[in-house]
Each structure stands twice: as C-alpha cells, then as structure tokens.
Amino acid sequence: MIQNIFQASVMASTQGRSDLMLGIGDDCAQIQVPQGQSLVFSMDTLVEGRHFPFDADPVDIGYRAVATCVSDLAAMGAKPAFFTLGLTIPESDPQWLAGLAQGMAELAEPIGLALVGGDTTKGPLTITLQVHGYVEPDLAVKRSAAKVGDDIYVTGLLGDAAAAVPIVTGELQVSSERFDYFYDRYWRPKPRLIVGMALKRVVHAMMDISDGLAQDIQHILKASGVGATIDAACLPMSAELKQWQPESAHILALTGGDDYELCFTAPKEQATEIALITQTLSLPCTKVGEIAESGFVIQNYDGEITGWQHF
C-alpha cells in the first residue's frame, strides 16, 4: 500500500530518465551517473514534535521535508536527481500518507527529483530523506574555500521562518493576512537551486542557512580557517517582519534559522557578475560582511548569537 501511494504520487518524474537504471521494487536502486558529473548526496531527518508540530498537515510536512534536504544540493551548486525516503510512522494511514506524498511531489516533480527507494517501519513519526544530485567534479562548492577579503552575501530574506514558529505551533494568534504570509514562509521554503548552480563558477564557499546566519557562517569560517565581520544593519529582512516585530527582527534574522537561504563568499571582483545573476533571477542578494584573517565580529548588534541547537 505504501509503495503504491508513493509510486502514484512521486514517481512520475522517473519516466524516460536515462540515468535511472533500476528504481523502486528491487533491493537497491541503480543509477548511471552522467559523463562529466559527480554524485553528491545529503541526508536530513525530521522528527515530529522537534522539527515540526504534532498533528501538522501531511502535505506541508512532505513539501518541507523535500525543501530542507534539497537546500543542501543548492549549497553545493548541484542539480537534483533522486531521493530515498526512510519513514517511521505510528500506524499505516492511507489518507495521511497520500497527503505526505502529495506534498513531496509538489516540490520534487518540478525540480526533477525522483523517489527511487526507501524503507518504512513502525514507531514515532520520523521522516528521513537522502537526496542525490549531480555537479561537475571541479565545480562543487565547499565550505572550506573562503578567502580573506571575500565579500559575504546572503540570498533572499532572513528571519521570517523563525518568526513563524509560534504561529505554526498555535501559540500565537495573528490576523489572517499575517498568518498566511508567515505560515507559508515556514512550511514552503524555496531551495535556491537555480542560483546555486549559477553561482558555483564565481563563489569561493557556500552553504545553506538552516540554523541561523550567525551560527552557520561560523561553519564556513572554521572549515576555511578564516574570520569574518558581519554588519547586522545590512541584514535583508521583510517589511512584514520589521513591521510586526521591530524589536526582535535582527535577532530573528541572525539566529532564527529555517529560512534555507544561501550564504556564500566571493572575491570582490565578482560583485558585478553576482548582481547580474541574482537580478536576472529576480532574487534579492545582499552583501552582509567580509571575510577577515581571524575572529568573528557582528557590528551594530549586541544580542545573543546562539542559533538552533540540535541537542
């Protein structure tokens, strides 16, 4: 039953694919990696009550599960290819499973991401996805290549998803217009796949922002052996967030997480090319700091910088 539900809802994108040699139905999937490409993959796990509220809409859960995992491919400049699904559920509920599959397909099909296998078991609701993508071996963008003097950029807007958490959990009641905006920002993050693929030739280091900019940028700094200065006054935030929470907007933008935008570093001479790429895609892209030899300084900000804690 579970196999039938997911095959009917998610498998359409496998039709006619030359790189898929064997999909769902055997002990393993078999992939033929296209010539001149390397395979990159990433895994994310979402746990009910930890990463999403109890009794959340399964369509929302499915979409967000794919989006958060695919965002890692964007950070490497990779093109999505396949994913596998590890699903632990308290009971077999065909209607709930159909909703989950619908939400996954809502994002997976347009970006060419096909389900090729997985596993199911009984237990507390836990969803694990492993996504696979292709990128030229020499163009995969890593965290470890930031250089002193690089500019630091972020795509999109920061802070909205974190602000949405009390709305999503039902702890806070807001107007219908505000609810719709922030609810969508939490459940429907937009993995920046196209811009990631476009930027891979001009940036030095890149990663997605899942745990908050202040925390995630430090992964780049540690991997690259450098420091940074961030100007909190430059953080890109929505008018909706600044109007609703003017006192908290900066801390949400710096530490909130869940926006799944890209943070990247690039040499100053690439500024014009970066602007051309992002403007062509109608995607906001903001310089927020600069890579330094050492240290980590956030200007125009005196609050805490702790982001999401997994434990």
Side-chain angles (χ1 to χ4, degrees), residues 128-177:
T128 298
L129 270 67
Q130 186 175 60
V131 292
H132 304 75
Y134 302 136
V135 66
E136 299 89 337
D138 296 335
L139 292 179
V141 187
K142 306 175 183 67
R143 301 177 180 183
S144 57
K147 308 296 182 184
V148 175
D150 278 0
D151 289 329
I152 302 171
Y153 296 86
V154 295
T155 63
L157 304 171
L158 303 180
D160 285 343
V165 171
I167 296 175
V168 168
T169 58
E171 299 172 43
L172 186 63
Q173 302 299 313
V174 296
S175 67
S176 59
E177 294 82 2

Short mmCIF file of all heavy atoms in Angstrom, two decimals, residues 128-177:
data_model
loop_
_atom_site.label_atom_id
_atom_site.label_comp_id
_atom_site.label_asym_id
_atom_site.label_seq_id
_atom_site.Cartn_x
_atom_site.Cartn_y
_atom_site.Cartn_z
N THR A 128 13.09 10.67 7.17
CA THR A 128 14.48 10.84 6.76
C THR A 128 14.57 10.78 5.25
O THR A 128 14.10 9.82 4.64
CB THR A 128 15.39 9.77 7.37
OG1 THR A 128 15.36 9.88 8.81
CG2 THR A 128 16.82 9.93 6.89
N LEU A 129 15.15 11.80 4.65
CA LEU A 129 15.37 11.85 3.21
C LEU A 129 16.86 11.89 2.92
O LEU A 129 17.61 12.60 3.61
CB LEU A 129 14.73 13.09 2.58
CG LEU A 129 13.28 12.98 2.09
CD1 LEU A 129 12.34 12.79 3.28
CD2 LEU A 129 12.91 14.21 1.29
N GLN A 130 17.27 11.13 1.94
CA GLN A 130 18.62 11.29 1.38
C GLN A 130 18.46 11.74 -0.06
O GLN A 130 17.84 11.05 -0.87
CB GLN A 130 19.43 10.01 1.44
CG GLN A 130 20.88 10.23 1.00
CD GLN A 130 21.75 8.99 1.17
OE1 GLN A 130 21.47 7.95 0.60
NE2 GLN A 130 22.81 9.12 1.97
N VAL A 131 18.98 12.92 -0.36
CA VAL A 131 18.89 13.46 -1.72
C VAL A 131 20.22 13.29 -2.43
O VAL A 131 21.29 13.34 -1.82
CB VAL A 131 18.49 14.96 -1.72
CG1 VAL A 131 17.07 15.14 -1.23
CG2 VAL A 131 19.46 15.79 -0.90
N HIS A 132 20.12 13.07 -3.75
CA HIS A 132 21.30 12.90 -4.59
C HIS A 132 21.22 13.90 -5.73
O HIS A 132 20.15 14.17 -6.27
CB HIS A 132 21.34 11.48 -5.17
CG HIS A 132 21.29 10.39 -4.13
ND1 HIS A 132 20.13 10.07 -3.46
CD2 HIS A 132 22.27 9.58 -3.65
CE1 HIS A 132 20.39 9.08 -2.61
NE2 HIS A 132 21.68 8.78 -2.71
N GLY A 133 22.36 14.43 -6.09
CA GLY A 133 22.41 15.38 -7.19
C GLY A 133 23.70 15.26 -7.96
O GLY A 133 24.61 14.52 -7.57
N TYR A 134 23.78 15.98 -9.08
CA TYR A 134 24.95 15.95 -9.94
C TYR A 134 25.60 17.32 -10.00
O TYR A 134 24.93 18.35 -10.05
CB TYR A 134 24.56 15.55 -11.37
CG TYR A 134 23.87 14.22 -11.50
CD1 TYR A 134 22.75 14.08 -12.32
CD2 TYR A 134 24.34 13.08 -10.84
CE1 TYR A 134 22.12 12.86 -12.48
CE2 TYR A 134 23.71 11.86 -10.97
CZ TYR A 134 22.60 11.75 -11.79
OH TYR A 134 21.96 10.54 -11.94
N VAL A 135 26.92 17.31 -10.02
CA VAL A 135 27.68 18.54 -10.20
C VAL A 135 29.02 18.18 -10.82
O VAL A 135 29.57 17.08 -10.58
CB VAL A 135 27.87 19.28 -8.86
CG1 VAL A 135 28.74 18.50 -7.88
CG2 VAL A 135 28.44 20.68 -9.08
N GLU A 136 29.56 19.08 -11.63
CA GLU A 136 30.88 18.84 -12.21
C GLU A 136 31.91 18.69 -11.08
O GLU A 136 31.89 19.47 -10.12
CB GLU A 136 31.28 20.01 -13.12
CG GLU A 136 30.36 20.22 -14.30
CD GLU A 136 29.19 21.15 -13.99
OE1 GLU A 136 28.83 21.29 -12.81
OE2 GLU A 136 28.64 21.73 -14.94
N PRO A 137 32.78 17.70 -11.17
CA PRO A 137 33.71 17.42 -10.05
C PRO A 137 34.48 18.63 -9.56
O PRO A 137 34.71 18.79 -8.36
CB PRO A 137 34.64 16.36 -10.63
CG PRO A 137 33.83 15.68 -11.69
CD PRO A 137 32.95 16.75 -12.27
N ASP A 138 34.91 19.50 -10.47
CA ASP A 138 35.75 20.63 -10.10
C ASP A 138 34.94 21.86 -9.69
O ASP A 138 35.53 22.89 -9.31
CB ASP A 138 36.68 21.01 -11.25
CG ASP A 138 37.66 19.90 -11.58
OD1 ASP A 138 37.96 19.09 -10.67
OD2 ASP A 138 38.12 19.83 -12.74
N LEU A 139 33.60 21.78 -9.78
CA LEU A 139 32.78 22.96 -9.50
C LEU A 139 31.91 22.82 -8.26
O LEU A 139 31.16 23.75 -7.93
CB LEU A 139 31.89 23.27 -10.72
CG LEU A 139 32.61 23.76 -11.96
CD1 LEU A 139 31.63 24.00 -13.10
CD2 LEU A 139 33.42 25.03 -11.68
N ALA A 140 31.98 21.69 -7.58
CA ALA A 140 31.22 21.54 -6.34
C ALA A 140 31.70 22.57 -5.33
O ALA A 140 32.89 22.66 -5.02
CB ALA A 140 31.38 20.13 -5.78
N VAL A 141 30.78 23.38 -4.82
CA VAL A 141 31.14 24.46 -3.90
C VAL A 141 31.21 23.93 -2.48
O VAL A 141 30.26 23.30 -1.99
CB VAL A 141 30.14 25.62 -3.98
CG1 VAL A 141 30.64 26.80 -3.14
CG2 VAL A 141 29.92 26.06 -5.41
N LYS A 142 32.31 24.18 -1.81
CA LYS A 142 32.52 23.67 -0.45
C LYS A 142 32.48 24.80 0.56
O LYS A 142 32.48 25.98 0.20
CB LYS A 142 33.86 22.93 -0.39
CG LYS A 142 34.01 21.83 -1.44
CD LYS A 142 35.41 21.25 -1.39
CE LYS A 142 35.61 20.20 -2.48
NZ LYS A 142 35.58 20.77 -3.84
N ARG A 143 32.52 24.44 1.82
CA ARG A 143 32.59 25.43 2.89
C ARG A 143 34.02 25.88 3.15
O ARG A 143 34.23 26.88 3.83
CB ARG A 143 32.04 24.84 4.20
CG ARG A 143 30.61 24.36 4.14
CD ARG A 143 30.21 23.74 5.47
NE ARG A 143 28.83 23.26 5.47
CZ ARG A 143 28.22 22.74 6.54
NH1 ARG A 143 28.88 22.62 7.68
NH2 ARG A 143 26.98 22.32 6.45
N SER A 144 34.98 25.15 2.62
CA SER A 144 36.37 25.31 3.05
C SER A 144 37.23 26.20 2.18
O SER A 144 38.45 26.22 2.33
CB SER A 144 37.02 23.92 3.11
OG SER A 144 36.94 23.27 1.85
N ALA A 145 36.61 26.96 1.25
CA ALA A 145 37.42 27.72 0.30
C ALA A 145 37.28 29.23 0.43
O ALA A 145 37.70 29.97 -0.46
CB ALA A 145 37.07 27.29 -1.12
N ALA A 146 36.70 29.72 1.52
CA ALA A 146 36.59 31.17 1.71
C ALA A 146 37.99 31.79 1.84
O ALA A 146 38.88 31.21 2.46
CB ALA A 146 35.76 31.47 2.95
N LYS A 147 38.16 32.98 1.25
CA LYS A 147 39.46 33.64 1.26
C LYS A 147 39.35 34.99 1.96
O LYS A 147 38.32 35.67 1.89
CB LYS A 147 39.95 33.87 -0.17
CG LYS A 147 39.95 32.63 -1.05
CD LYS A 147 40.91 31.58 -0.56
CE LYS A 147 40.92 30.38 -1.50
NZ LYS A 147 41.79 29.28 -0.99
N VAL A 148 40.43 35.38 2.61
CA VAL A 148 40.48 36.70 3.26
C VAL A 148 40.23 37.77 2.21
O VAL A 148 40.82 37.75 1.13
CB VAL A 148 41.84 36.92 3.94
CG1 VAL A 148 41.94 38.34 4.51
CG2 VAL A 148 42.05 35.89 5.06
N GLY A 149 39.32 38.69 2.52
CA GLY A 149 38.96 39.74 1.59
C GLY A 149 37.69 39.45 0.82
O GLY A 149 37.13 40.35 0.18
N ASP A 150 37.22 38.21 0.85
CA ASP A 150 35.95 37.88 0.20
C ASP A 150 34.81 38.69 0.80
O ASP A 150 34.78 38.95 2.02
CB ASP A 150 35.60 36.40 0.40
CG ASP A 150 36.29 35.47 -0.57
OD1 ASP A 150 37.07 35.96 -1.41
OD2 ASP A 150 36.06 34.25 -0.48
N ASP A 151 33.86 39.06 -0.04
CA ASP A 151 32.59 39.59 0.47
C ASP A 151 31.70 38.43 0.88
O ASP A 151 31.76 37.33 0.30
CB ASP A 151 31.89 40.42 -0.62
CG ASP A 151 32.58 41.73 -0.90
OD1 ASP A 151 33.19 42.29 0.04
OD2 ASP A 151 32.52 42.19 -2.06
N ILE A 152 30.85 38.67 1.87
CA ILE A 152 29.89 37.67 2.34
C ILE A 152 28.49 38.12 1.92
O ILE A 152 28.10 39.26 2.17
CB ILE A 152 29.94 37.51 3.87
CG1 ILE A 152 31.35 37.11 4.32
CG2 ILE A 152 28.91 36.47 4.34
CD1 ILE A 152 31.54 37.14 5.83
N TYR A 153 27.76 37.23 1.27
CA TYR A 153 26.42 37.53 0.78
C TYR A 153 25.41 36.56 1.36
O TYR A 153 25.75 35.42 1.73
CB TYR A 153 26.35 37.39 -0.74
CG TYR A 153 27.19 38.34 -1.54
CD1 TYR A 153 28.52 38.07 -1.83
CD2 TYR A 153 26.63 39.51 -2.08
CE1 TYR A 153 29.28 38.93 -2.61
CE2 TYR A 153 27.38 40.38 -2.86
CZ TYR A 153 28.71 40.07 -3.11
OH TYR A 153 29.46 40.93 -3.90
N VAL A 154 24.15 36.98 1.38
CA VAL A 154 23.05 36.06 1.64
C VAL A 154 21.96 36.33 0.60
O VAL A 154 21.77 37.47 0.15
CB VAL A 154 22.45 36.21 3.06
CG1 VAL A 154 23.46 35.82 4.11
CG2 VAL A 154 21.94 37.62 3.30
N THR A 155 21.29 35.27 0.19
CA THR A 155 20.17 35.41 -0.73
C THR A 155 18.87 35.63 0.05
O THR A 155 18.78 35.30 1.23
CB THR A 155 20.01 34.17 -1.61
OG1 THR A 155 19.70 33.03 -0.77
CG2 THR A 155 21.27 33.90 -2.41
N GLY A 156 17.88 36.18 -0.61
CA GLY A 156 16.54 36.27 -0.06
C GLY A 156 16.44 37.13 1.18
O GLY A 156 17.17 38.10 1.37
N LEU A 157 15.51 36.73 2.06
CA LEU A 157 15.21 37.45 3.29
C LEU A 157 15.39 36.52 4.48
O LEU A 157 15.12 35.32 4.38
CB LEU A 157 13.77 37.98 3.27
CG LEU A 157 13.41 38.89 2.08
CD1 LEU A 157 11.92 39.16 2.06
CD2 LEU A 157 14.20 40.19 2.14
N LEU A 158 15.81 37.07 5.61
CA LEU A 158 16.08 36.27 6.80
C LEU A 158 15.12 36.62 7.93
O LEU A 158 14.70 37.76 8.07
CB LEU A 158 17.52 36.49 7.26
CG LEU A 158 18.64 36.19 6.26
CD1 LEU A 158 20.00 36.47 6.88
CD2 LEU A 158 18.55 34.77 5.74
N GLY A 159 14.81 35.63 8.74
CA GLY A 159 14.05 35.86 9.97
C GLY A 159 12.59 35.51 9.93
O GLY A 159 11.97 35.28 10.97
N ASP A 160 12.01 35.44 8.73
CA ASP A 160 10.58 35.19 8.64
C ASP A 160 10.18 33.81 9.18
O ASP A 160 9.18 33.66 9.87
CB ASP A 160 10.11 35.30 7.19
CG ASP A 160 10.02 36.74 6.70
OD1 ASP A 160 10.00 37.65 7.55
OD2 ASP A 160 9.97 36.95 5.48
N ALA A 161 10.94 32.79 8.82
CA ALA A 161 10.58 31.44 9.23
C ALA A 161 10.65 31.29 10.75
O ALA A 161 9.79 30.65 11.36
CB ALA A 161 11.50 30.42 8.55
N ALA A 162 11.66 31.87 11.36
CA ALA A 162 11.77 31.80 12.82
C ALA A 162 10.63 32.54 13.49
O ALA A 162 10.08 32.08 14.49
CB ALA A 162 13.12 32.38 13.27
N ALA A 163 10.25 33.68 12.92
CA ALA A 163 9.12 34.43 13.48
C ALA A 163 7.82 33.65 13.36
O ALA A 163 6.89 33.83 14.15
CB ALA A 163 8.99 35.77 12.75
N ALA A 164 7.75 32.75 12.37
CA ALA A 164 6.53 31.99 12.12
C ALA A 164 6.30 30.86 13.11
O ALA A 164 5.17 30.36 13.21
CB ALA A 164 6.55 31.43 10.70
N VAL A 165 7.33 30.44 13.83
CA VAL A 165 7.21 29.25 14.68
C VAL A 165 6.04 29.32 15.66
O VAL A 165 5.23 28.39 15.74
CB VAL A 165 8.53 28.97 15.41
CG1 VAL A 165 8.35 27.87 16.46
CG2 VAL A 165 9.60 28.56 14.40
N PRO A 166 5.87 30.40 16.45
CA PRO A 166 4.72 30.43 17.37
C PRO A 166 3.37 30.47 16.65
O PRO A 166 2.36 30.07 17.23
CB PRO A 166 4.95 31.70 18.19
CG PRO A 166 5.88 32.54 17.38
CD PRO A 166 6.74 31.58 16.63
N ILE A 167 3.36 30.93 15.41
CA ILE A 167 2.13 30.90 14.62
C ILE A 167 1.84 29.47 14.18
O ILE A 167 0.71 28.97 14.31
CB ILE A 167 2.25 31.82 13.38
CG1 ILE A 167 2.41 33.27 13.81
CG2 ILE A 167 1.04 31.67 12.47
CD1 ILE A 167 2.66 34.23 12.66
N VAL A 168 2.86 28.79 13.70
CA VAL A 168 2.72 27.42 13.23
C VAL A 168 2.31 26.47 14.36
O VAL A 168 1.50 25.56 14.17
CB VAL A 168 4.03 26.94 12.58
CG1 VAL A 168 4.02 25.45 12.34
CG2 VAL A 168 4.28 27.70 11.28
N THR A 169 2.85 26.70 15.56
CA THR A 169 2.54 25.82 16.69
C THR A 169 1.23 26.19 17.38
O THR A 169 0.78 25.48 18.28
CB THR A 169 3.67 25.88 17.74
OG1 THR A 169 3.84 27.24 18.19
CG2 THR A 169 4.97 25.38 17.15
N GLY A 170 0.62 27.30 16.96
CA GLY A 170 -0.65 27.71 17.56
C GLY A 170 -0.51 28.48 18.85
O GLY A 170 -1.51 28.77 19.52
N GLU A 171 0.72 28.84 19.21
CA GLU A 171 0.94 29.58 20.46
C GLU A 171 0.54 31.04 20.33
O GLU A 171 0.35 31.73 21.33
CB GLU A 171 2.41 29.49 20.86
CG GLU A 171 2.92 28.08 21.12
CD GLU A 171 4.41 28.05 21.33
OE1 GLU A 171 4.92 28.94 22.04
OE2 GLU A 171 5.07 27.15 20.77
N LEU A 172 0.46 31.53 19.10
CA LEU A 172 0.21 32.95 18.87
C LEU A 172 -0.87 33.12 17.80
O LEU A 172 -0.80 32.48 16.74
CB LEU A 172 1.50 33.65 18.43
CG LEU A 172 1.46 35.17 18.28
CD1 LEU A 172 1.17 35.83 19.63
CD2 LEU A 172 2.79 35.67 17.72
N GLN A 173 -1.86 33.95 18.07
CA GLN A 173 -2.91 34.23 17.11
C GLN A 173 -2.63 35.58 16.45
O GLN A 173 -2.34 36.57 17.13
CB GLN A 173 -4.27 34.28 17.82
CG GLN A 173 -4.62 33.00 18.56
CD GLN A 173 -4.73 31.80 17.64
OE1 GLN A 173 -5.36 31.88 16.59
NE2 GLN A 173 -4.12 30.69 18.03
N VAL A 174 -2.72 35.61 15.12
CA VAL A 174 -2.47 36.83 14.37
C VAL A 174 -3.56 36.99 13.31
O VAL A 174 -4.40 36.12 13.12
CB VAL A 174 -1.08 36.80 13.68
CG1 VAL A 174 0.03 36.76 14.72
CG2 VAL A 174 -0.98 35.61 12.73
N SER A 175 -3.54 38.13 12.62
CA SER A 175 -4.52 38.37 11.57
C SER A 175 -4.36 37.33 10.46
O SER A 175 -3.30 36.72 10.31
CB SER A 175 -4.34 39.78 10.98
OG SER A 175 -3.11 39.85 10.28
N SER A 176 -5.39 37.14 9.65
CA SER A 176 -5.35 36.14 8.59
C SER A 176 -4.27 36.45 7.56
O SER A 176 -3.60 35.54 7.06
CB SER A 176 -6.72 36.03 7.91
OG SER A 176 -7.11 37.28 7.36
N GLU A 177 -4.09 37.75 7.25
CA GLU A 177 -3.07 38.12 6.29
C GLU A 177 -1.67 37.80 6.82
O GLU A 177 -0.82 37.26 6.09
CB GLU A 177 -3.15 39.62 5.96
CG GLU A 177 -4.41 40.03 5.22
CD GLU A 177 -5.60 40.25 6.16
OE1 GLU A 177 -5.43 40.11 7.40
OE2 GLU A 177 -6.69 40.56 5.66
#
